[in-house]
Amino acid sequence: MFSGEEFNVDIAVGLTGVCDFLISRSPEQLDIEAPAVVMVEAKKGDLKVGLGQCIAEMVAAQKFNEAKGRSIWAIYGSISSGTAWRFLKLEGQKVTIDLSDYPLPPVDKILGFLVWMVQQN
């Protein structure tokens, strides 16, 4: 898991910036290595505000994995206020958004979702 790391994938199309949280399946923990699996965008208030930014991060992760020869079938995302979580999935060019907001606590449910996302790829 990485937090506050620059994730500059494609400057030409604006896929640059600092990720709030990124989960990778790479055994390397010093630098972000492919495959990037889950992107988490932190927002203080309304989760809907972070949808576009989270989707852009997921597209960046998809392109990053492809460029490194480590493509995976789905990239997952989440937007969190810390007390509420919403989840997304990117497959190809199709984004699926779970319209439910999941509260924290219970922390085991949120951690279960995150572990499941990593295990899928």
Side-chain angles (χ1 to χ4, degrees), residues 7 15 17 32-33 39 50-51 62 65 68 73 80 90 95 101 103-104 107-108 110 114 117 119 121:
F7 193 57
L15 295 177
I32 299 171
E33 298 288 334
M39 311 300 288
L51 283 173
Q62 186 180 57
N65 292 343
K68 303 291 183 180
W73 70 276
S80 175
L90 172 65
V95 175
D101 291 342
L104 184 72
V107 71
D108 58 330
I110 301 301
L114 294 171
M117 290 174 184
Q119 291 175 338
N121 290 301

Side-chain angles (χ1 to χ4, degrees), residues 3-82:
S3 176
E5 298 285 329
E6 286 208 17
F7 193 57
N8 299 323
V9 175
D10 192 339
I11 295 169
V13 295
L15 295 177
T16 63
V18 175
C19 292
D20 291 331
F21 296 95
L22 180 151
I23 300 173
S24 168
R25 287 204 48 158
S26 169
E28 172 65 47
Q29 294 300 305
L30 298 176
D31 295 313
I32 299 171
E33 298 288 334
V37 179
V38 181
M39 311 300 288
V40 179
E41 179 61 30
K43 292 295 177 195
K44 289 184 180 182
D46 185 6
L47 298 182
K48 289 184 276 183
V49 174
L51 283 173
Q53 189 173 359
C54 188
I55 292 168
E57 291 171 359
M58 293 163 65
V59 169
Q62 186 180 57
K63 290 182 175 291
F64 175 78
N65 292 343
E66 289 171 1
K68 303 291 183 180
R70 300 286 312 268
S71 295
I72 54 178
W73 70 276
I75 303 292
Y76 293 93
S78 179
I79 306 155
S80 175
S81 66

